[in-house]
Amino acid sequence: MKKGLSVVLGTVIALTLSACGNGATTDNKTTQTTQPAQTATAKKYTFGTDATYPPFEFQKDGKYIGIDIDLINAIAKEEGFEVDLKPMDFKGIIPAITSKQLDGAIAGISITDERKQVVSLSDPYYQAGLSLIVREDNTTIKTPEDLKGKVIAIKKGTSGAKLADEYGKKYGATIKYFDDSPAMYQEVANKNADVTLEDFPVISYKIAVDPNSKLKIVGDRLNGDYYGIAVRKDNEELMKKVNDGLKKIKANGKYDEIISTYMGKSTK
């Protein structure tokens, strides 16, 4: 009888301990399997850029680098989203955003009232401004007034193209359009055009790194354009992330670090 009772009690105790053990294991497994589900997959956005626009975006050793590339990646890191970069001709960027082929773009895009009508533009992140660029041996062009009867080479779809059109009408200058900056530079260097218009930091960088460019900057800056990051008008969530991220990287020093990598100093 006592032996029988002992066996029964032993069995009960064993089952109880076994049940407790299984419960602890189950709890641990539950914690481990639900943990990954708590980390949401980062949202990915497609951003257009112009890969022929150093120091803001260009290709080196098979990689896309530059101020704009580093900035959008830094903003994405701060705001927890991923960037799918899509290099393309500058003139196609705004249409690609409005047709929903792109979520946004960062490509040295000047903030203008005209562009604000079709896309949302972020807070300014860089002051550029256009300059007149001539061949290094040109001594006849120093101001816009000197463009009478001259030939202007310009990249399509840029703020420079808009100003070149104005100069063409005002001074009777001939305008030659190109799809990228290198082509318009070469046109001036080869004496097939008298002048081009380009953003001051861009042309300053080119002349500094390419002593054989045969180009020089003349006169004062023609305007004081600011660059902004473009986003589809219906994507307020992304626009907020871009502006919030921009504020954060300016506050934590990452912005200055990126600018100094390419330009030597920051210009907010």
Side-chain angles (χ1 to χ4, degrees):
M1 229 6 228
K2 287 181 180 179
K3 183 178 180 181
L5 182 58
S6 298
V7 171
V8 172
L9 287 173
T11 303
V12 172
I13 291 170
L15 288 173
T16 302
L17 290 174
S18 175
C20 290
N22 287 339
T25 303
T26 302
D27 287 344
N28 287 339
K29 286 182 179 177
T30 302
T31 302
Q32 291 171 2
T33 54
T34 57
Q35 188 64 33
Q38 294 173 359
T39 304
T41 302
K43 207 162 189 176
K44 182 180 286 188
Y45 297 103
T46 302
F47 274 80
T49 193
D50 176 4
T52 62
Y53 199 59
F56 289 90
E57 45 265 339
F58 57 103
Q59 195 171 16
K60 184 177 181 181
D61 299 328
K63 292 179 62 178
Y64 294 106
I65 61 172
I67 293 172
D68 283 348
I69 309 301
D70 290 0
L71 283 178
I72 195 61
N73 284 329
I75 289 169
K77 185 176 180 180
E78 287 290 339
E79 294 301 306
F81 64 87
E82 295 181 2
V83 174
D84 179 18
L85 201 65
K86 187 174 182 180
M88 59 196 303
D89 287 341
F90 185 86
K91 68 180 184 297
I93 287 177
I94 300 298
I97 295 174
T98 58
S99 63
K100 298 188 177 182
Q101 297 174 53
L102 299 173
D103 296 299
I106 183 165
I109 301 171
S110 296
I111 298 172
T112 66
D113 291 335
E114 183 179 5
R115 285 173 178 155
K116 283 180 179 178
Q117 292 177 13
V118 292
V119 296
S120 295
L121 288 162
S122 72
D123 296 335
Y125 70 86
Y126 198 94
Q127 184 176 13
L130 291 162
S131 292
L132 289 173
I133 318 302
V134 300
R135 187 179 156 95
E136 60 186 359
D137 56 3
N138 187 306
T139 60
T140 61
I141 298 175
K142 295 179 181 178
T143 68
E145 288 74 20
D146 298 324
L147 298 179
K148 294 176 183 177
K150 303 298 184 181
V151 178
I152 304 174
I154 203 71
K155 183 164 71 172
K156 299 174 185 176
T158 61
S159 58
K162 185 176 180 181
L163 188 56
D165 288 341
E166 293 177 13
Y167 289 159
K169 294 173 184 176
K170 187 174 182 178
Y171 302 113
T174 300
I175 314 297
K176 297 177 74 172
Y177 298 95
F178 297 88
D179 290 327
D180 56 69
S181 297
M184 73 177 188
Y185 297 151
Q186 198 60 46
E187 197 73 358
V188 175
N190 291 343
K191 297 187 176 181
N192 296 321
D194 300 292
V195 64
T196 185
L197 284 71
E198 182 60 284
D199 289 337
F200 178 81
V202 174
I203 194 60
S204 296
Y205 178 83
K206 175 176 176 54
I207 292 172
V209 300
D210 181 9
N212 298 316
S213 68
K214 299 180 181 179
L215 302 174
K216 68 178 180 181
I217 302 169
V218 292
D220 298 325
R221 293 194 203 190
L222 305 171
N223 55 23
D225 282 3
Y226 284 88
Y227 290 162
I229 301 168
V231 171
R232 274 202 340 248
K233 272 191 170 293
D234 62 354
N235 199 335
E236 295 180 6
E237 178 187 9
L238 178 55
M239 188 79 271
K240 185 177 187 307
K241 288 179 179 179
V242 166
N243 279 328
D244 287 351
L246 183 58
K247 288 187 180 76
K248 289 174 185 176
I249 64 172
K250 284 188 174 184
N252 66 21
K254 186 63 178 178
Y255 175 92
D256 287 332
E257 179 186 324
I258 291 170
I259 298 298
S260 64
T261 298
Y262 298 93
M263 303 293 288
K265 62 179 181 178
S266 70
T267 304
K268 299 178 189 178

PDB file of all heavy atoms in Angstrom, residues 130-157:
ATOM      1  N   LEU A 130      23.917  80.399 -60.177  1.00  0.00           N
ATOM      2  CA  LEU A 130      24.514  80.170 -61.484  1.00  0.00           C
ATOM      3  C   LEU A 130      25.641  81.154 -61.782  1.00  0.00           C
ATOM      4  O   LEU A 130      25.623  82.285 -61.326  1.00  0.00           O
ATOM      5  CB  LEU A 130      23.440  80.308 -62.569  1.00  0.00           C
ATOM      6  CG  LEU A 130      22.371  79.217 -62.596  1.00  0.00           C
ATOM      7  CD1 LEU A 130      21.161  79.678 -63.393  1.00  0.00           C
ATOM      8  CD2 LEU A 130      22.945  77.938 -63.193  1.00  0.00           C
ATOM      9  N   SER A 131      26.604  80.669 -62.574  1.00  0.00           N
ATOM     10  CA  SER A 131      27.719  81.510 -63.020  1.00  0.00           C
ATOM     11  C   SER A 131      27.898  81.372 -64.529  1.00  0.00           C
ATOM     12  O   SER A 131      27.493  80.369 -65.128  1.00  0.00           O
ATOM     13  CB  SER A 131      29.021  81.096 -62.322  1.00  0.00           C
ATOM     14  OG  SER A 131      28.985  81.386 -60.948  1.00  0.00           O
ATOM     15  N   LEU A 132      28.522  82.382 -65.128  1.00  0.00           N
ATOM     16  CA  LEU A 132      28.894  82.323 -66.534  1.00  0.00           C
ATOM     17  C   LEU A 132      30.233  81.590 -66.660  1.00  0.00           C
ATOM     18  O   LEU A 132      31.174  81.879 -65.915  1.00  0.00           O
ATOM     19  CB  LEU A 132      29.035  83.725 -67.114  1.00  0.00           C
ATOM     20  CG  LEU A 132      27.764  84.549 -67.318  1.00  0.00           C
ATOM     21  CD1 LEU A 132      28.133  85.972 -67.737  1.00  0.00           C
ATOM     22  CD2 LEU A 132      26.868  83.909 -68.366  1.00  0.00           C
ATOM     23  N   ILE A 133      30.313  80.657 -67.603  1.00  0.00           N
ATOM     24  CA  ILE A 133      31.529  79.878 -67.818  1.00  0.00           C
ATOM     25  C   ILE A 133      31.978  80.054 -69.268  1.00  0.00           C
ATOM     26  O   ILE A 133      31.175  79.858 -70.194  1.00  0.00           O
ATOM     27  CB  ILE A 133      31.295  78.370 -67.577  1.00  0.00           C
ATOM     28  CG1 ILE A 133      30.423  78.151 -66.333  1.00  0.00           C
ATOM     29  CG2 ILE A 133      32.612  77.634 -67.493  1.00  0.00           C
ATOM     30  CD1 ILE A 133      30.958  78.719 -65.060  1.00  0.00           C
ATOM     31  N   VAL A 134      33.232  80.436 -69.459  1.00  0.00           N
ATOM     32  CA  VAL A 134      33.770  80.620 -70.806  1.00  0.00           C
ATOM     33  C   VAL A 134      35.058  79.821 -70.953  1.00  0.00           C
ATOM     34  O   VAL A 134      35.597  79.293 -69.971  1.00  0.00           O
ATOM     35  CB  VAL A 134      34.041  82.110 -71.109  1.00  0.00           C
ATOM     36  CG1 VAL A 134      32.750  82.923 -71.016  1.00  0.00           C
ATOM     37  CG2 VAL A 134      35.105  82.675 -70.163  1.00  0.00           C
ATOM     38  N   ARG A 135      35.567  79.753 -72.174  1.00  0.00           N
ATOM     39  CA  ARG A 135      36.870  79.126 -72.397  1.00  0.00           C
ATOM     40  C   ARG A 135      37.938  79.989 -71.719  1.00  0.00           C
ATOM     41  O   ARG A 135      37.817  81.213 -71.643  1.00  0.00           O
ATOM     42  CB  ARG A 135      37.131  79.002 -73.894  1.00  0.00           C
ATOM     43  CG  ARG A 135      38.371  78.209 -74.242  1.00  0.00           C
ATOM     44  CD  ARG A 135      38.525  78.118 -75.762  1.00  0.00           C
ATOM     45  NE  ARG A 135      39.908  77.881 -76.129  1.00  0.00           N
ATOM     46  CZ  ARG A 135      40.444  76.691 -76.369  1.00  0.00           C
ATOM     47  NH1 ARG A 135      39.682  75.613 -76.272  1.00  0.00           N
ATOM     48  NH2 ARG A 135      41.722  76.565 -76.694  1.00  0.00           N
ATOM     49  N   GLU A 136      38.995  79.355 -71.230  1.00  0.00           N
ATOM     50  CA  GLU A 136      39.998  80.054 -70.425  1.00  0.00           C
ATOM     51  C   GLU A 136      40.685  81.214 -71.149  1.00  0.00           C
ATOM     52  O   GLU A 136      41.177  82.148 -70.506  1.00  0.00           O
ATOM     53  CB  GLU A 136      41.057  79.058 -69.933  1.00  0.00           C
ATOM     54  CG  GLU A 136      41.799  78.345 -71.036  1.00  0.00           C
ATOM     55  CD  GLU A 136      42.729  77.261 -70.524  1.00  0.00           C
ATOM     56  OE1 GLU A 136      42.794  77.094 -69.286  1.00  0.00           O
ATOM     57  OE2 GLU A 136      43.382  76.596 -71.344  1.00  0.00           O
ATOM     58  N   ASP A 137      40.696  81.186 -72.499  1.00  0.00           N
ATOM     59  CA  ASP A 137      41.346  82.266 -73.237  1.00  0.00           C
ATOM     60  C   ASP A 137      40.359  83.330 -73.726  1.00  0.00           C
ATOM     61  O   ASP A 137      40.721  84.240 -74.474  1.00  0.00           O
ATOM     62  CB  ASP A 137      42.140  81.711 -74.431  1.00  0.00           C
ATOM     63  CG  ASP A 137      41.285  80.867 -75.372  1.00  0.00           C
ATOM     64  OD1 ASP A 137      40.067  80.760 -75.119  1.00  0.00           O
ATOM     65  OD2 ASP A 137      41.844  80.310 -76.344  1.00  0.00           O
ATOM     66  N   ASN A 138      39.105  83.231 -73.279  1.00  0.00           N
ATOM     67  CA  ASN A 138      38.085  84.215 -73.685  1.00  0.00           C
ATOM     68  C   ASN A 138      38.202  85.474 -72.830  1.00  0.00           C
ATOM     69  O   ASN A 138      38.192  85.407 -71.603  1.00  0.00           O
ATOM     70  CB  ASN A 138      36.690  83.598 -73.526  1.00  0.00           C
ATOM     71  CG  ASN A 138      35.587  84.487 -74.071  1.00  0.00           C
ATOM     72  OD1 ASN A 138      35.465  85.642 -73.699  1.00  0.00           O
ATOM     73  ND2 ASN A 138      34.773  83.916 -74.947  1.00  0.00           N
ATOM     74  N   THR A 139      38.298  86.614 -73.485  1.00  0.00           N
ATOM     75  CA  THR A 139      38.415  87.895 -72.769  1.00  0.00           C
ATOM     76  C   THR A 139      37.275  88.846 -73.097  1.00  0.00           C
ATOM     77  O   THR A 139      37.262  89.988 -72.630  1.00  0.00           O
ATOM     78  CB  THR A 139      39.749  88.577 -73.126  1.00  0.00           C
ATOM     79  OG1 THR A 139      39.796  88.807 -74.541  1.00  0.00           O
ATOM     80  CG2 THR A 139      40.933  87.724 -72.693  1.00  0.00           C
ATOM     81  N   THR A 140      36.306  88.380 -73.871  1.00  0.00           N
ATOM     82  CA  THR A 140      35.228  89.275 -74.323  1.00  0.00           C
ATOM     83  C   THR A 140      33.943  89.159 -73.510  1.00  0.00           C
ATOM     84  O   THR A 140      33.093  90.039 -73.573  1.00  0.00           O
ATOM     85  CB  THR A 140      34.902  89.003 -75.801  1.00  0.00           C
ATOM     86  OG1 THR A 140      34.458  87.643 -75.949  1.00  0.00           O
ATOM     87  CG2 THR A 140      36.128  89.229 -76.678  1.00  0.00           C
ATOM     88  N   ILE A 141      33.795  88.070 -72.753  1.00  0.00           N
ATOM     89  CA  ILE A 141      32.556  87.872 -71.989  1.00  0.00           C
ATOM     90  C   ILE A 141      32.857  87.926 -70.496  1.00  0.00           C
ATOM     91  O   ILE A 141      33.650  87.145 -69.973  1.00  0.00           O
ATOM     92  CB  ILE A 141      31.909  86.520 -72.340  1.00  0.00           C
ATOM     93  CG1 ILE A 141      31.523  86.475 -73.819  1.00  0.00           C
ATOM     94  CG2 ILE A 141      30.672  86.280 -71.459  1.00  0.00           C
ATOM     95  CD1 ILE A 141      30.989  85.133 -74.274  1.00  0.00           C
ATOM     96  N   LYS A 142      32.194  88.872 -69.818  1.00  0.00           N
ATOM     97  CA  LYS A 142      32.357  89.009 -68.369  1.00  0.00           C
ATOM     98  C   LYS A 142      31.022  89.169 -67.653  1.00  0.00           C
ATOM     99  O   LYS A 142      30.916  88.896 -66.457  1.00  0.00           O
ATOM    100  CB  LYS A 142      33.259  90.206 -68.057  1.00  0.00           C
ATOM    101  CG  LYS A 142      34.696  90.029 -68.564  1.00  0.00           C
ATOM    102  CD  LYS A 142      35.547  91.239 -68.259  1.00  0.00           C
ATOM    103  CE  LYS A 142      36.974  91.053 -68.795  1.00  0.00           C
ATOM    104  NZ  LYS A 142      37.816  92.258 -68.551  1.00  0.00           N
ATOM    105  N   THR A 143      30.006  89.636 -68.375  1.00  0.00           N
ATOM    106  CA  THR A 143      28.678  89.860 -67.801  1.00  0.00           C
ATOM    107  C   THR A 143      27.615  89.404 -68.806  1.00  0.00           C
ATOM    108  O   THR A 143      27.913  89.207 -69.994  1.00  0.00           O
ATOM    109  CB  THR A 143      28.452  91.354 -67.499  1.00  0.00           C
ATOM    110  OG1 THR A 143      28.382  92.078 -68.736  1.00  0.00           O
ATOM    111  CG2 THR A 143      29.577  91.920 -66.632  1.00  0.00           C
ATOM    112  N   PRO A 144      26.358  89.262 -68.381  1.00  0.00           N
ATOM    113  CA  PRO A 144      25.297  88.880 -69.311  1.00  0.00           C
ATOM    114  C   PRO A 144      25.160  89.847 -70.495  1.00  0.00           C
ATOM    115  O   PRO A 144      24.785  89.432 -71.597  1.00  0.00           O
ATOM    116  CB  PRO A 144      24.046  88.907 -68.426  1.00  0.00           C
ATOM    117  CG  PRO A 144      24.551  88.587 -67.067  1.00  0.00           C
ATOM    118  CD  PRO A 144      25.873  89.276 -66.983  1.00  0.00           C
ATOM    119  N   GLU A 145      25.485  91.116 -70.275  1.00  0.00           N
ATOM    120  CA  GLU A 145      25.379  92.102 -71.356  1.00  0.00           C
ATOM    121  C   GLU A 145      26.333  91.794 -72.512  1.00  0.00           C
ATOM    122  O   GLU A 145      26.129  92.267 -73.638  1.00  0.00           O
ATOM    123  CB  GLU A 145      25.654  93.504 -70.817  1.00  0.00           C
ATOM    124  CG  GLU A 145      24.556  94.082 -69.928  1.00  0.00           C
ATOM    125  CD  GLU A 145      24.510  93.452 -68.538  1.00  0.00           C
ATOM    126  OE1 GLU A 145      25.526  92.856 -68.101  1.00  0.00           O
ATOM    127  OE2 GLU A 145      23.433  93.540 -67.901  1.00  0.00           O
ATOM    128  N   ASP A 146      27.337  90.994 -72.241  1.00  0.00           N
ATOM    129  CA  ASP A 146      28.313  90.638 -73.278  1.00  0.00           C
ATOM    130  C   ASP A 146      27.857  89.463 -74.141  1.00  0.00           C
ATOM    131  O   ASP A 146      28.600  89.004 -75.017  1.00  0.00           O
ATOM    132  CB  ASP A 146      29.663  90.280 -72.631  1.00  0.00           C
ATOM    133  CG  ASP A 146      30.265  91.439 -71.857  1.00  0.00           C
ATOM    134  OD1 ASP A 146      30.107  92.591 -72.303  1.00  0.00           O
ATOM    135  OD2 ASP A 146      30.882  91.175 -70.807  1.00  0.00           O
ATOM    136  N   LEU A 147      26.648  88.992 -73.921  1.00  0.00           N
ATOM    137  CA  LEU A 147      26.168  87.809 -74.641  1.00  0.00           C
ATOM    138  C   LEU A 147      25.483  88.137 -75.965  1.00  0.00           C
ATOM    139  O   LEU A 147      24.982  87.227 -76.637  1.00  0.00           O
ATOM    140  CB  LEU A 147      25.191  87.018 -73.751  1.00  0.00           C
ATOM    141  CG  LEU A 147      25.770  86.463 -72.450  1.00  0.00           C
ATOM    142  CD1 LEU A 147      24.685  85.731 -71.660  1.00  0.00           C
ATOM    143  CD2 LEU A 147      26.943  85.522 -72.726  1.00  0.00           C
ATOM    144  N   LYS A 148      25.463  89.385 -76.352  1.00  0.00           N
ATOM    145  CA  LYS A 148      24.809  89.781 -77.607  1.00  0.00           C
ATOM    146  C   LYS A 148      25.431  89.048 -78.794  1.00  0.00           C
ATOM    147  O   LYS A 148      26.622  89.133 -79.043  1.00  0.00           O
ATOM    148  CB  LYS A 148      24.940  91.285 -77.809  1.00  0.00           C
ATOM    149  CG  LYS A 148      24.180  92.103 -76.762  1.00  0.00           C
ATOM    150  CD  LYS A 148      24.426  93.597 -76.951  1.00  0.00           C
ATOM    151  CE  LYS A 148      23.706  94.383 -75.854  1.00  0.00           C
ATOM    152  NZ  LYS A 148      23.958  95.840 -75.944  1.00  0.00           N
ATOM    153  N   GLY A 149      24.575  88.286 -79.505  1.00  0.00           N
ATOM    154  CA  GLY A 149      25.019  87.563 -80.681  1.00  0.00           C
ATOM    155  C   GLY A 149      25.884  86.351 -80.398  1.00  0.00           C
ATOM    156  O   GLY A 149      26.416  85.726 -81.325  1.00  0.00           O
ATOM    157  N   LYS A 150      26.012  85.956 -79.134  1.00  0.00           N
ATOM    158  CA  LYS A 150      26.873  84.830 -78.766  1.00  0.00           C
ATOM    159  C   LYS A 150      26.091  83.509 -78.793  1.00  0.00           C
ATOM    160  O   LYS A 150      24.859  83.489 -78.891  1.00  0.00           O
ATOM    161  CB  LYS A 150      27.477  85.038 -77.381  1.00  0.00           C
ATOM    162  CG  LYS A 150      28.287  86.328 -77.227  1.00  0.00           C
ATOM    163  CD  LYS A 150      29.484  86.358 -78.164  1.00  0.00           C
ATOM    164  CE  LYS A 150      30.327  87.605 -77.930  1.00  0.00           C
ATOM    165  NZ  LYS A 150      31.477  87.684 -78.843  1.00  0.00           N
ATOM    166  N   VAL A 151      26.818  82.393 -78.652  1.00  0.00           N
ATOM    167  CA  VAL A 151      26.213  81.061 -78.613  1.00  0.00           C
ATOM    168  C   VAL A 151      26.334  80.513 -77.197  1.00  0.00           C
ATOM    169  O   VAL A 151      27.437  80.439 -76.641  1.00  0.00           O
ATOM    170  CB  VAL A 151      26.903  80.092 -79.601  1.00  0.00           C
ATOM    171  CG1 VAL A 151      26.284  78.703 -79.488  1.00  0.00           C
ATOM    172  CG2 VAL A 151      26.782  80.618 -81.025  1.00  0.00           C
ATOM    173  N   ILE A 152      25.192  80.136 -76.619  1.00  0.00           N
ATOM    174  CA  ILE A 152      25.164  79.598 -75.252  1.00  0.00           C
ATOM    175  C   ILE A 152      24.888  78.100 -75.305  1.00  0.00           C
ATOM    176  O   ILE A 152      23.891  77.664 -75.892  1.00  0.00           O
ATOM    177  CB  ILE A 152      24.074  80.279 -74.399  1.00  0.00           C
ATOM    178  CG1 ILE A 152      24.266  81.795 -74.380  1.00  0.00           C
ATOM    179  CG2 ILE A 152      24.074  79.707 -72.981  1.00  0.00           C
ATOM    180  CD1 ILE A 152      23.136  82.541 -73.674  1.00  0.00           C
ATOM    181  N   ALA A 153      25.756  77.299 -74.710  1.00  0.00           N
ATOM    182  CA  ALA A 153      25.528  75.852 -74.569  1.00  0.00           C
ATOM    183  C   ALA A 153      24.895  75.601 -73.208  1.00  0.00           C
ATOM    184  O   ALA A 153      25.375  76.117 -72.194  1.00  0.00           O
ATOM    185  CB  ALA A 153      26.847  75.096 -74.684  1.00  0.00           C
ATOM    186  N   ILE A 154      23.833  74.799 -73.166  1.00  0.00           N
ATOM    187  CA  ILE A 154      23.136  74.615 -71.891  1.00  0.00           C
ATOM    188  C   ILE A 154      22.491  73.234 -71.809  1.00  0.00           C
ATOM    189  O   ILE A 154      22.125  72.634 -72.831  1.00  0.00           O
ATOM    190  CB  ILE A 154      22.055  75.714 -71.699  1.00  0.00           C
ATOM    191  CG1 ILE A 154      21.737  75.877 -70.213  1.00  0.00           C
ATOM    192  CG2 ILE A 154      20.821  75.441 -72.534  1.00  0.00           C
ATOM    193  CD1 ILE A 154      22.832  76.511 -69.412  1.00  0.00           C
ATOM    194  N   LYS A 155      22.378  72.707 -70.586  1.00  0.00           N
ATOM    195  CA  LYS A 155      21.743  71.408 -70.366  1.00  0.00           C
ATOM    196  C   LYS A 155      20.236  71.568 -70.261  1.00  0.00           C
ATOM    197  O   LYS A 155      19.732  72.452 -69.564  1.00  0.00           O
ATOM    198  CB  LYS A 155      22.297  70.750 -69.099  1.00  0.00           C
ATOM    199  CG  LYS A 155      21.743  69.363 -68.847  1.00  0.00           C
ATOM    200  CD  LYS A 155      22.567  68.586 -67.838  1.00  0.00           C
ATOM    201  CE  LYS A 155      22.405  69.117 -66.439  1.00  0.00           C
ATOM    202  NZ  LYS A 155      23.057  68.233 -65.451  1.00  0.00           N
ATOM    203  N   LYS A 156      19.511  70.700 -70.936  1.00  0.00           N
ATOM    204  CA  LYS A 156      18.050  70.760 -70.961  1.00  0.00           C
ATOM    205  C   LYS A 156      17.435  70.598 -69.571  1.00  0.00           C
ATOM    206  O   LYS A 156      17.931  69.845 -68.745  1.00  0.00           O
ATOM    207  CB  LYS A 156      17.498  69.645 -71.861  1.00  0.00           C
ATOM    208  CG  LYS A 156      17.923  69.704 -73.304  1.00  0.00           C
ATOM    209  CD  LYS A 156      17.434  68.459 -74.039  1.00  0.00           C
ATOM    210  CE  LYS A 156      17.945  68.411 -75.467  1.00  0.00           C
ATOM    211  NZ  LYS A 156      17.556  67.153 -76.149  1.00  0.00           N
ATOM    212  N   GLY A 157      16.340  71.303 -69.353  1.00  0.00           N
ATOM    213  CA  GLY A 157      15.545  71.104 -68.154  1.00  0.00           C
ATOM    214  C   GLY A 157      16.082  71.700 -66.880  1.00  0.00           C
ATOM    215  O   GLY A 157      15.520  71.488 -65.811  1.00  0.00           O
TER     216      GLY A 157
END
